[in-house]
Amino acid sequence: MEESCLLWLLVVTSLLSGCTHQASLKISPHRSQLFVGEFVSLRCEEDDSSDGLTVTRNTSKDTRSPCGAGWGTKDGSDCNISFIFPSDSGVYWCESTGGAASSSINITVTGGAVILQSPVLPVMEGDDVTLTCTTETSNLSADFYKDGSFIRTEPTGHMTIHHVSRSDEGLYKCNIISDGESPPSWITVTEKPASPSSPSAPSPPPVPVWSMVLAILSSLFSLVPLVLLVLEVRRLTNRKPKGIYLPVSMEMAPPTQAEQGLADEYDDVMAAVTTEHHL
Ligand SMILES: *[C@@H]1O[C@H](CO)[C@@H](O)[C@H](O)[C@H]1NC(C)=O
Ligand SMILES: *[C@@H]1O[C@H](CO)[C@@H](O)[C@H](O)[C@H]1NC(C)=O
Ligand SMILES: *[C@@H]1O[C@H](CO)[C@@H](O)[C@H](O)[C@H]1NC(C)=O
């Protein structure tokens, strides 16, 4: 009964919070594994760019280090790394002057010859995901692994996972016999939202007042069997000779009302139920 109201509040709250825009970090080239020496461009994007955003990182050497402070070339919310090193591997995100942060990207820089190209951002349940195993120059036949276990060999170097589910989440890597192994990359799979709020679908209209009313009415309806049960119990206990069983009505209403008719009692209960739901 109360749960359905809470559920509606949750739905409304999540719809409202879906309207606030979050900054996002864009990386070019669009992958999280990079070869030593590559030029990398990072950019913070926000619809409402009134607040200054800075690309910030955690690496094994530094924590919460902003672009320009010993690494990268900063220009507003742009940040370029002209020659990337394995020591630049780490977590990168956008941070506003207010301290708010965007979702983060894991960047791994390898001194090896092979990289795994995997989605930079978490993937949605049900999506198809293609992993590519490549050297700087070409795609060759590659072996793919998840959490250390061999999955399969792909002659083209591309492996597609159809309709990913939460169980596909894990640490992936690949191996090209002639060139070596890639570093591992973590793939995050997020639950598909209950409401159709994916960017391809038009955003749902705000929940109208009538559906809130409907939710409250339906939760009232779910009380009907309970009300009938209470009435039946009271009817039966009123019939019984007074003795070991205290009449239920004695505990719920003053004794003067104990003898009132069924109709009155029904009204009382309905009144109680109604006030209970004026949140
Ligand atoms: C960066 O490092 C700090 C300190 O260890 C930690 O509190 C913070 O959560 C890290 N940020 C990310 C995005 O991993
Ligand atoms: C970063 O690189 C891009 C693309 O080459 C360029 O347009 C931009 O001006 C550069 N920004 C900085 C801060 O160097
Ligand atoms: C980054 O990597 C760590 C460890 O591999 C993982 O737990 C985390 O979820 C990753 N974060 C993202 C944004 O992929």
Side-chain angles (χ1 to χ4, degrees):
M1 27 182 131
E2 233 109 89
E3 284 96 312
S4 55
C5 281
L6 283 178
L7 200 69
W8 273 96
L9 278 179
L10 273 178
V11 167
V12 170
T13 315
S14 58
L15 281 174
L16 288 176
S17 62
C19 298
T20 62
H21 298 285
Q22 212 198 7
S24 61
L25 175 60
K26 299 280 171 359
I27 180 171
S28 169
H30 191 69
R31 47 190 155 86
S32 59
Q33 290 193 4
L34 301 158
F35 295 109
V36 167
E38 281 194 275
F39 175 90
V40 179
S41 179
L42 299 156
R43 160 182 288 243
C44 292
E45 285 180 356
E46 196 184 32
D47 290 351
D48 153 39
S49 54
S50 53
D51 210 3
L53 290 165
T54 304
V55 180
T56 310
R57 75 180 191 180
N58 281 355
T59 64
S60 56
K61 294 182 304 185
D62 42 23
T63 295
R64 242 181 126 192
S65 169
C67 179
W71 69 276
T73 312
K74 182 177 161 25
D75 177 17
S77 44
D78 276 7
C79 181
N80 291 346
I81 304 175
S82 53
F83 192 104
I84 204 162
F85 285 102
S87 58
D88 291 311
S89 299
V91 188
Y92 289 70
W93 69 95
C94 298
E95 196 158 313
S96 70
T97 42
S102 69
S103 54
S104 54
I105 292 178
N106 281 341
I107 293 178
T108 307
V109 184
T110 178
V114 178
I115 58 163
L116 176 70
Q117 294 183 26
S118 61
V120 170
L121 294 172
V123 294
M124 198 85 82
E125 259 182 328
D127 287 354
D128 290 349
V129 170
T130 298
L131 306 180
T132 300
C133 196
T134 182
T135 67
E136 248 171 305
T137 50
S138 56
N139 299 346
L140 300 163
S141 173
D143 297 338
F144 288 85
Y145 297 83
K146 174 179 183 266
D147 300 324
S149 304
F150 174 73
I151 308 171
R152 61 177 177 265
T153 302
E154 290 285 354
T156 58
H158 302 284
M159 182 181 76
T160 300
I161 310 167
H162 296 281
H163 309 293
V164 294
S165 63
R166 295 301 293 267
S167 62
D168 292 313
E169 202 165 81
L171 204 56
Y172 289 78
K173 66 177 182 184
C174 67
N175 185 50
I176 297 176
I177 309 271
S178 53
D179 294 83
E181 195 171 271
S182 75
S185 271
W186 183 266
I187 294 181
T188 306
V189 180
T190 58
E191 216 173 304
K192 215 173 185 69
S195 55
S197 60
S198 57
S200 54
S203 57
V207 174
V209 174
W210 61 261
S211 48
M212 281 298 285
V213 172
L214 207 65
I216 292 168
L217 279 180
S218 68
S219 60
L220 276 178
F221 257 110
S222 69
L223 283 179
V224 166
L226 184 72
V227 169
L228 291 179
L229 184 73
V230 167
L231 288 176
E232 184 64 11
V233 166
R234 293 184 70 169
R235 195 172 62 84
L236 290 176
T237 49
N238 279 347
R239 257 195 209 158
K240 279 209 173 83
K242 293 197 166 99
I244 16 173
Y245 298 109
L246 259 184
V248 175
S249 55
M250 294 296 268
E251 293 175 4
M252 298 176 68
T256 48
Q257 286 179 14
E259 307 305 318
Q260 281 183 359
L262 276 185
D264 285 348
E265 285 168 7
Y266 184 85
D267 285 344
D268 285 346
V269 174
M270 284 313 281
V273 163
T274 314
T275 38
E276 197 186 320
H277 279 81
H278 282 296
L279 295 175

